[in-house]
Amino acid sequence: MKLCRFNDDRVGRVDGDHVLDVTEALSALPTLRWPVPRGDQLIAHLPEFVAAVQALQNCPRMRLDEVRLLSPVANPTKIIGAPVNYKKHLEESRADQGIHFDRDIKTIDYYGLFLKANSSMVGPSEGVALRFTDRRNDHEIELVAVIGKQADRVSRANALDYVACYTAGLDMTVRGTEARSYRKSIDTYTVIGPWLVTADELPDPSDLDFELTVNGETRQKANTSDLIFDVPRLIEYASSFYTLYPGDLIMTGTPEGVGPVHAGDKINVTIEAIGSMSVDVRNA
Ligand code: MN
């Protein structure tokens, strides 16, 4: 099933180029009082939610291009980033002073992971609002795995059992000398969407073509088979340090072809078996 969040926190089931408003199925979720459990409650109760969606009849139907798409996960406890997780991106980072800033670039097994502030997260319709426009602001297309259940020290053999859904992400980055978690946490610098694809529809994330264009021109084009740490290894690696909760987002890293964007640009992100999203860039 493909599920989106749209307009004023409506929940939609994506059906081709239309969306069915299935917000009523939220009644399958428990009513909570403070302090609420950690994790996104729709993702934590996804099986019950999906069953409730399937039982709905006569849902309002709209064209997808007439709704505003928000991030399909509303309340992750963490947005996890994977630094230098494609070999050709390692090579381009080492060759480009505008990326490496005279630092020796290594790979993910050296750096570990980083976190992006949850407050940086938006959906495709909200766009990217650039800050520090005297510096390079780069696009990074990434496959995103959405954790479905609490995961503590999970082995790679079982890791995919912990994935509820997949989606696409833009890990926007202002280049510079500061720590990644700071440079990649500017408001709107984490774009998630266009919707979730449940893992039963996408059982194997290890061979997905994906492409990013800016104003129609291809900038990044690769396949998830090029990942240095694949999705199971990333889950093993992340959960060896901290517990993952439902709705936590693992941004799996970006391939070669990163480059700057400017106000007025339109970024298009497409991942096989997931879909496409279009993101407008403006100055904050
Ligand atoms: Mn990245």
Side-chain angles (χ1 to χ4, degrees), residues 82 114 140 142 171 184 253-254:
F114 63 91
E140 297 190 353
E142 314 209 352
D171 175 19
K184 293 168 174 274
T254 203

Side-chain angles (χ1 to χ4, degrees), residues 198-215:
T198 53
D200 59 305
E201 282 190 17
L202 206 172
D204 180 13
S206 71
D207 184 19
L208 301 174
D209 285 326
F210 58 93
E211 180 173 11
L212 178 145
T213 66
V214 177
N215 306 327

Side-chain angles (χ1 to χ4, degrees), residues 70-258:
L70 309 175
S71 167
V73 178
N75 300 110
T77 78
K78 293 185 280 305
I79 303 172
I80 298 161
V84 202
N85 199 21
Y86 283 87
K87 192 165 172 296
K88 287 182 184 164
H89 177 54
L90 169 68
E91 291 162 7
E92 79 175 349
S93 300
R94 283 178 170 161
D96 187 344
Q97 209 276 338
I99 296 177
H100 65 62
F101 282 81
D102 302 319
R103 290 165 302 191
D104 181 21
I105 301 288
K106 298 184 169 69
T107 53
I108 185 167
D109 52 328
Y110 176 88
Y111 292 120
L113 301 168
F114 63 91
L115 298 175
K116 286 168 73 86
N118 290 2
S119 49
S120 68
M121 187 180 74
V122 292
S125 297
E126 293 163 276
V128 170
L130 299 178
R131 298 190 190 183
F132 311 107
T133 51
D134 54 329
R135 295 165 59 172
R136 245 177 80 176
N137 283 274
D138 283 8
H139 54 74
E140 297 190 353
I141 181 175
E142 314 209 352
L143 172 71
V144 180
V146 182
I147 295 297
K149 56 186 179 183
Q150 206 164 312
D152 175 18
R153 287 162 284 181
V154 168
S155 74
R156 66 165 286 128
N158 304 321
L160 290 186
D161 297 345
Y162 290 81
V163 178
C165 322
Y166 295 92
T167 187
L170 266 177
D171 175 19
M172 297 300 300
T173 303
V174 62
R175 299 290 171 199
T177 57
E178 304 93 335
R180 284 185 179 81
S181 63
Y182 192 54
R183 290 185 286 108
K184 293 168 174 274
S185 286
I186 296 171
D187 290 1
T188 75
Y189 275 43
T190 305
V191 186
I192 302 292
W195 42 70
L196 303 171
V197 178
T198 53
D200 59 305
E201 282 190 17
L202 206 172
D204 180 13
S206 71
D207 184 19
L208 301 174
D209 285 326
F210 58 93
E211 180 173 11
L212 178 145
T213 66
V214 177
N215 306 327
E217 175 200 330
T218 299
R219 295 271 192 93
Q220 295 185 275
K221 190 174 168 62
N223 184 285
T224 56
S225 62
D226 301 331
L227 280 164
I228 296 172
F229 277 16
D230 61 8
V231 175
R233 176 67 183 129
L234 287 169
I235 292 169
E236 180 180 64
Y237 198 45
S239 72
S240 72
F241 270 67
Y242 36 59
T243 299
L244 305 176
Y245 291 92
D248 280 2
L249 302 175
I250 299 186
M251 303 190 74
T252 56
T254 203
E256 70 279 11
V258 301

